[in-house]
Amino acid sequence: MDENNLQFTKLPFSIKTAFYIVAFLVLFVFAITEAKGLLIPFTYSVLISFILYPLCKFFEDKGIPRILSILICFFIVVAGLFGLFYFFSTQVVNIVSEFEDFRGKLLNLIHQGIEQYNTIVPNSKLDDESLLNQSKKWLSSSGTSVLSGTLNQTSSFFSGLFLLPIYVFLFLLYRTGIRDVLLRFVHTDYRIAFTHLLKDVQQVGQKYIGGLIIIIFVIGLLDSIALWIIGLESPFFFGFLAACLAIIPYIGTGIGALLPALYALMNHSPTTALYVLIAFWAVQFLEGNFLTPKIIGGEVSLNPLAAILSLIAGGFVWGLSGMVLFIPLAAILKIVCQNYKELEPIAGLMGDEITQVNEIVRGKNHTPRKPFWKKLFK
């Protein structure tokens, strides 16, 4: 089919519909931004409930009452977190004890960098004292706002941390009633399909978050082994710290690699720091091309464009929590859109369809043009 012979008609445009869409988006973003103190722990609890649901149901199938099954799940989670805290606490203490020496080495490195800069730029008058004075002025001018913001975020974090187990407990306890109430909003002809949709949403959230936990463990183990082979101190601390930061796509991995690289630069040599960066890049390449597609799966994953937009939107609306939460929420939104005929194009934009050949435009019988270098070797 010749694309030049295709005839196109003008697309319809409704100012009224466009206004409604823009107004809805503006009000929606404003509402979730203002209510983030309530919505962030609520969203965390929903995703955690998705993860604990199979374990809770396993105990219930064994004849254990639901309340006791939920408490057993909570005990397992708390015991696991306590074990991780105990395992890493000694390494954290060692790193904190080395902070004074580390700070001196960092200042020495900054001094060497300033001297190198002044050598490259002859007319530069940058020195340690002026840089230090500028840093003090910046801290004095913005210190109050930074401190108040930190206190507000800390108080919000602990309040959300207190509400989180309560929400999770209630979601797991009343999950059957919540499902039955949601079904009342749907016509009887579509209740079976809606039930399957709720099940798909739960499985997607469970598979995404559960798979993410597995990936974090695997990445942390690989990073730790790599740092141990290189000879860096506290390899498990830096390895699993980088793995935890990897839940923030594209950004967290870089931050997680820079921390041990900077530590290696301070305590070893630039060559060791380079080895650390290479090792972390190799692990990230393995994770992005093999681990994530196999563990999480293509039906849950987002294409890079949708992931980056979700990351930016989450950071804009909810800050760091939004950068973590909006990725699984986008994956759930993708599954919801797949179950509604009118919203299927949105699911296609969020999935892997945009990376495939578009047969609608090109035509199924279209033969791609051979590269010129292949014509030379007929």
Side-chain angles (χ1 to χ4, degrees):
M1 182 182 295
D2 189 0
E3 297 180 11
N4 296 326
N5 296 329
L6 293 176
Q7 295 181 357
F8 297 94
T9 58
K10 293 183 178 180
L11 298 174
F13 179 78
S14 173
I15 297 179
K16 181 179 179 181
T17 303
F19 173 77
Y20 285 154
I21 294 175
V22 173
F24 170 77
L25 291 176
V26 172
L27 291 176
F28 178 76
V29 172
F30 176 78
I32 63 176
T33 303
E34 293 297 319
K36 63 180 180 180
L38 172 66
L39 294 179
I40 290 177
F42 181 85
T43 307
Y44 273 119
S45 61
V46 170
L47 296 177
I48 294 174
S49 300
F50 288 163
I51 301 174
L52 296 181
Y53 167 72
L55 183 61
C56 183
K57 191 174 185 302
F58 170 79
F59 290 119
E60 292 179 15
D61 293 339
K62 298 297 181 180
I64 302 176
R66 177 169 294 186
I67 295 179
L68 185 58
S69 299
I70 298 173
L71 294 178
I72 293 175
C73 294
F74 277 27
F75 175 78
I76 293 174
V77 172
V78 172
L81 293 176
F82 179 79
L84 291 175
F85 175 79
Y86 179 79
F87 180 76
F88 291 110
S89 59
T90 55
Q91 300 190 46
V92 173
V93 171
N94 292 334
I95 292 176
V96 171
S97 63
E98 298 176 358
F99 177 74
E100 290 297 331
D101 185 39
F102 179 79
R103 185 177 61 177
K105 293 180 180 179
L106 181 60
L107 293 175
N108 185 35
L109 182 65
I110 294 175
H111 176 72
Q112 294 177 1
I114 292 175
E115 290 183 347
Q116 188 67 25
Y117 175 79
N118 292 332
T119 303
I120 298 174
V121 184
N123 295 328
S124 175
K125 298 181 180 180
L126 187 63
D127 55 62
D128 297 350
E129 186 176 356
S130 63
L131 186 62
L132 182 61
N133 292 331
Q134 292 177 5
S135 301
K136 289 181 178 179
K137 290 180 181 179
W138 179 83
L139 289 174
S140 61
S141 61
S142 60
T144 304
S145 60
V146 171
L147 180 60
S148 61
T150 303
L151 292 176
N152 292 332
Q153 292 180 2
T154 303
S155 60
S156 300
F157 171 78
F158 281 107
S159 62
L161 191 63
F162 174 77
L163 294 174
L164 192 63
I166 299 177
Y167 286 153
V168 174
F169 180 85
L170 294 177
F171 280 138
L172 293 174
L173 182 63
Y174 299 122
R175 61 179 186 269
T176 305
I178 294 174
R179 182 199 60 189
D180 295 339
V181 171
L182 291 176
L183 286 175
R184 296 182 186 178
F185 290 96
V186 184
H187 193 272
T188 54
D189 296 337
Y190 302 102
R191 287 185 177 179
I192 296 178
F194 189 75
T195 302
H196 288 292
L197 173 60
L198 293 178
K199 185 178 180 180
D200 291 341
V201 168
Q202 183 269 326
Q203 290 180 348
V204 167
Q206 172 192 335
K207 190 171 184 180
Y208 193 97
I209 303 300
L212 190 62
I213 293 174
I214 296 175
I215 290 174
I216 289 174
F217 177 79
V218 175
I219 292 177
L221 188 61
L222 294 176
D223 286 342
S224 301
I225 293 174
L227 294 177
W228 176 73
I229 294 175
I230 293 173
L232 198 68
E233 294 80 0
S234 303
F236 287 96
F237 172 78
F238 286 113
F240 280 92
L241 177 62
C244 292
L245 291 174
I247 63 177
I248 306 176
Y250 307 107
I251 298 177
T253 304
I255 299 175
L258 287 176
L259 292 176
L262 183 61
Y263 184 86
L265 186 63
M266 297 295 100
N267 294 275
H268 294 274
S269 64
T271 304
T272 306
L274 181 60
Y275 289 158
V276 170
L277 294 177
I278 294 174
F280 273 66
W281 174 85
V283 172
Q284 177 61 25
F285 179 82
L286 179 65
E287 178 268 329
N289 292 275
F290 299 99
L291 295 179
T292 299
K294 294 295 183 181
I295 296 176
I296 294 182
E299 71 276 6
V300 182
S301 62
L302 304 171
N303 61 60
L305 177 61
I308 292 175
L309 290 177
S310 301
L311 187 69
I312 296 174
F316 174 77
V317 176
W318 287 353
L320 181 60
S321 294
M323 298 175 72
V324 176
L325 291 173
F326 269 48
I327 299 293
L329 290 180
I332 293 175
L333 177 62
K334 172 190 168 186
I335 298 299
V336 173
C337 293
Q338 287 178 348
N339 285 268
Y340 288 90
K341 184 177 181 180
E342 294 80 3
L343 300 178
E344 282 183 349
I346 298 178
L349 289 174
M350 301 175 67
D352 295 330
E353 294 183 21
I354 65 173
T355 62
Q356 300 173 359
V357 177
N358 192 349
E359 295 182 351
I360 297 177
V361 176
R362 298 182 59 180
K364 295 183 179 180
N365 297 324
H366 177 77
T367 302
R369 182 179 298 176
K370 292 184 178 180
F372 75 95
W373 55 270
K374 285 189 176 182
K375 297 179 180 180
L376 299 177
F377 301 97
K378 285 186 177 181

